Amino acid sequence: GSSLSNIAALSTLAGDYKKAEEIYFQAIEKQSKKLNPREYANTVINIGQLYTLTGDYERALQYQQEGIETLAEIVGTHHMDYAAAISTKAFLEVATGKYSDAIASLLKTLSIQQAIDDKHPETVSTIMLLGKAYLLSQDYKNAEATLKDAIHKAETLLGKQHDHYAEVLYLIGMLYHQKGNPSKAEDYYYQSLTAYKSLYSKDHPKYVTALNSLGELYQTHKQYAKAQVCFTQATQASKNLFVATTDYMS
């Protein structure tokens, strides 16, 4: 069972998702939930992650939920692995627009993580995703409070040279953009661009996304020349990324 799961994991890494799916299901047939529940739980969660990669979030959610239930039986509900599995489920709930479910899952995840170790780095990604879920559900009051907490935790626990720090800056920019506060939105978008630039190249997808958002902000407020500069840079960066990816694959 475990060797089949390892082969499936390698197929997933190689991008052969169809082959990975076949091998994981062979592994599930050979594994026993009663005899080796941990191995079974890992395989089920891996299948969920596979469907996440293929964009089939509904099926991913089903397998993730089964993995969570199995993990609860093995390690209990006061365990970092259990919290991580719920966090993954929350990511899928956000991706499928189930924001209230995601918020409930993330609050549960956070309570477990903080009870075990409130300074654990994983709490940052949980708080960040919680802020994003509030933002997407247009609960701006909770989004602002949560994202401000996330930026403080990211800086304290991870440092400013971390992807999460840059991403929270971007989300705060989005928050003020949606709330109609252009000067604050511009400030945070710029901060996120600076942070992404120090971590990655200017061709990185996250840098491009932030640049496009800044362009949309300018466009909304009729600053067309500034918007054009952002969109032009973003388009060029996307072309560079495509060329680099094509060269790498060939």
Side-chain angles (χ1 to χ4, degrees):
S2 60
S3 58
L4 281 171
S5 290
N6 291 338
I7 295 166
L10 287 171
S11 299
T12 303
L13 287 171
D16 192 345
Y17 300 139
K18 196 72 190 166
K19 184 180 179 183
E21 183 183 31
E22 288 172 13
I23 298 168
Y24 273 135
F25 281 121
Q26 285 176 33
I28 282 286
E29 284 174 19
K30 293 179 185 295
Q31 288 167 356
S32 166
K33 189 176 178 179
K34 286 183 179 177
L35 292 176
N36 197 338
R38 188 59 193 256
E39 189 176 70
Y40 178 86
N42 289 341
T43 302
V44 167
I45 286 170
N46 286 339
I47 293 171
Q49 289 172 347
L50 173 67
Y51 286 132
T52 301
L53 289 170
T54 63
D56 191 346
Y57 298 132
E58 291 293 349
R59 284 179 86 177
L61 262 174
Q62 290 170 18
Y63 282 96
Q64 191 64 28
Q65 185 58 44
E66 189 176 348
I68 287 166
E69 288 165 10
T70 310
L71 268 179
E73 293 169 16
I74 307 160
V75 300
T77 56
H78 186 74
H79 196 285
M80 279 296 192
D81 287 354
Y82 179 75
I86 297 175
S87 182
T88 302
K89 176 173 170 265
F91 167 82
L92 293 166
E93 286 163 343
V94 169
T96 50
K98 299 180 175 73
Y99 303 131
S100 58
D101 289 345
I103 289 163
S105 295
L106 288 161
L107 288 170
K108 186 175 181 181
T109 302
L110 195 58
S111 69
I112 298 165
Q113 289 172 335
Q114 289 179 331
I116 297 169
D117 179 4
D118 67 348
K119 288 184 173 57
H120 195 284
E122 282 299 316
T123 60
V124 178
S125 55
T126 305
I127 296 166
M128 180 177 74
L129 190 56
L130 179 60
K132 186 177 183 179
Y134 281 132
L135 177 59
L136 291 169
S137 63
Q138 299 182 331
D139 183 348
Y140 297 134
K141 187 180 177 183
N142 274 319
E144 187 166 14
T146 307
L147 290 171
K148 289 291 174 72
D149 186 27
I151 201 72
H152 171 70
K153 290 272 198 319
E155 188 175 350
T156 308
L157 300 176
L158 305 171
K160 290 185 177 182
Q161 285 292 110
H162 196 284
D163 179 87
H164 285 357
Y165 181 79
E167 191 165 348
V168 178
L169 288 171
Y170 172 70
L171 289 170
I172 296 172
M174 270 183 70
L175 168 71
Y176 288 127
H177 189 164
Q178 289 179 24
K179 280 181 75 178
N181 190 329
S183 60
K184 278 193 170 182
E186 181 185 32
D187 179 41
Y188 278 98
Y189 280 151
Y190 264 117
Q191 285 187 60
S192 73
L193 285 166
T194 303
Y196 280 135
K197 196 160 53 176
S198 71
L199 290 168
Y200 311 117
S201 71
K202 287 185 180 181
D203 302 338
H204 193 277
K206 289 187 176 183
Y207 183 86
V208 174
T209 299
L211 202 53
N212 271 320
S213 294
L214 182 60
E216 286 163 11
L217 176 73
Y218 286 139
Q219 191 173 41
T220 304
H221 295 279
K222 298 184 168 57
Q223 293 178 272
Y224 299 122
K226 285 185 175 181
Q228 188 61 46
V229 170
C230 291
F231 292 143
T232 303
Q233 287 178 8
T235 303
Q236 187 55 52
S238 296
K239 283 179 184 174
N240 293 346
L241 183 65
F242 176 75
V243 169
T245 307
T246 309
D247 288 346
Y248 173 77
M249 289 176 75
S250 60

